[in-house]
Every structure is written in C-alpha cells, then in structure tokens.
Amino acid sequence: MAPRKREPDVRDKILDVATRLFDGHGVHAVGMQQIIDEFGCGKAMLYREFATKDDLVVAYLERYTQTWDMIRERAAEQHPDD
C-alpha cells in the first residue's frame, strides 16, 4: 500500500485551529485531543505533522514571532524617526 499523500497546507490548518484554541483558552488548557476534535482529523494526521504538543507549541510561538516581527518592521518603516 502506498503512503498517503500529504495535503500541502494541512500543517498550517492544524496550526490555525491550535492558534485559535490556544489564544482563547491558553496553551496549558488545550489538549491534543481537543485540537483533533476541533480540526476533525485523526490522531495519526496530527501526530504526523506535530509529533508532540511541545512541537505544536513551538510552531505556534514561531508563527507569532514572525507576525510580531512583520508588524514591528512595518511600524518602523511608517515611523522612521520614532
């Protein structure tokens, strides 16, 4: 049996769901099963993309860091003398 093809944006979609839940309830209050239930995938799919909750939290924090960096850079461009 051939391995299943990976949807190219499934990782981002899982991260979108996790971000919404983490932002709404806090990282410690959200379990992997809640993310699985909310996303509507199986455990295998989630754990294929994020082997542990720590891996998912790291991706969540990296996304926020990138977003924050873009916001800060835009603000610096718009207000160069500040």
Side-chain angles (χ1 to χ4, degrees):
M1 180 187 280
R4 289 176 103 177
K5 276 192 157 181
R6 192 181 260 186
E7 288 183 50
D9 57 351
V10 72
R11 181 179 175 87
D12 285 333
K13 289 179 181 178
I14 292 170
L15 191 52
D16 291 344
V17 169
T19 296
R20 186 170 38 79
L21 292 171
F22 290 162
D23 288 351
H25 305 284
V27 170
H28 293 293
V30 176
M32 294 296 267
Q33 187 61 50
Q34 188 175 357
I35 295 165
I36 290 166
D37 294 344
E38 188 78 19
F39 184 66
C41 67
K43 285 183 182 181
M45 179 182 286
L46 177 68
Y47 286 105
R48 182 175 56 236
E49 299 298 329
F50 301 98
T52 66
K53 183 176 177 183
D54 287 345
D55 293 335
L56 182 55
V57 171
V58 167
Y60 165 75
L61 293 173
E62 286 173 344
R63 178 185 270 188
Y64 266 104
T65 299
Q66 291 170 353
T67 301
W68 177 249
D69 288 346
M70 286 187 324
I71 291 169
R72 191 182 42 154
E73 287 170 11
R74 285 184 194 148
E77 289 170 2
Q78 292 174 358
H79 305 283
D81 297 329
D82 293 347

